Amino acid sequence: QVQLVESGGGLVQAGGSLRLSCAASGRTYTIYAMGWFRQAPGKEREFVAAISWSAGRTDYADSVKGRFTISRDNAKNTAYLQMSSLKPEDTAVYYCAGQLDLVLTLTRRIPDYDTWGQGTQVTVSS
């Protein structure tokens, strides 16, 4: 089992930046990839970005390409989401998710993730 805790959310002006962190604990050696998802009120949870734990391969949703950067610090068991050029449309609860080392490929599918953080609110004002 792996436990995830997000932090770094808050209120930011449009065009600003924010960095989210996701700290993992427990059986971290079982992690293949970490992903970020977001959910706005009345909308479905959607994929944002993912990164493989060992090789650092990345995948981004088209809506955030060029603006968001996902990274990880293996020594700290922490994943990050650096968000720049934020837009009001980015307002959502952001969730960190862990994918176990079962299928050796990055995925955007919610069912492929095995553990989730509690979420952190990101609000972008116009």
Side-chain angles (χ1 to χ4, degrees):
Q1 65 282 0
V2 175
Q3 294 77 46
L4 305 176
V5 178
E6 303 100 330
S7 63
L11 176 64
V12 65
Q13 295 177 326
S17 300
L18 204 62
R19 188 180 75 164
L20 306 182
S21 298
C22 177
S25 61
R27 301 196 302 163
T28 57
Y29 64 90
T30 66
I31 298 174
Y32 170 72
M34 299 284 284
W36 287 95
F37 293 76
R38 65 187 183 186
Q39 186 168 22
K43 297 183 179 180
E44 296 181 343
R45 190 168 300 186
E46 65 176 357
F47 171 80
V48 176
I51 186 169
S52 63
W53 206 244
S54 59
R57 305 286 291 182
T58 60
D59 185 30
Y60 296 93
D62 289 342
S63 60
V64 305
K65 284 182 179 178
R67 299 190 299 121
F68 291 11
T69 301
I70 188 170
S71 62
R72 83 277 190 266
D73 186 333
N74 298 66
K76 295 182 178 180
N77 294 317
T78 301
Y80 304 93
L81 185 67
Q82 178 65 50
M83 305 182 292
S84 300
S85 301
L86 283 163
K87 306 173 181 179
E89 307 92 272
D90 296 317
T91 295
V93 176
Y94 283 71
Y95 296 91
C96 178
Q99 179 189 347
L100 299 183
D101 192 6
L102 184 61
V103 180
L104 300 181
T105 185
L106 292 177
T107 179
R108 299 182 176 191
R109 290 171 42 83
I110 289 175
D112 291 335
Y113 287 84
D114 303 280
T115 186
W116 296 79
Q118 81 289 347
T120 185
Q121 177 70 48
V122 172
T123 302
V124 184
S125 62
S126 60

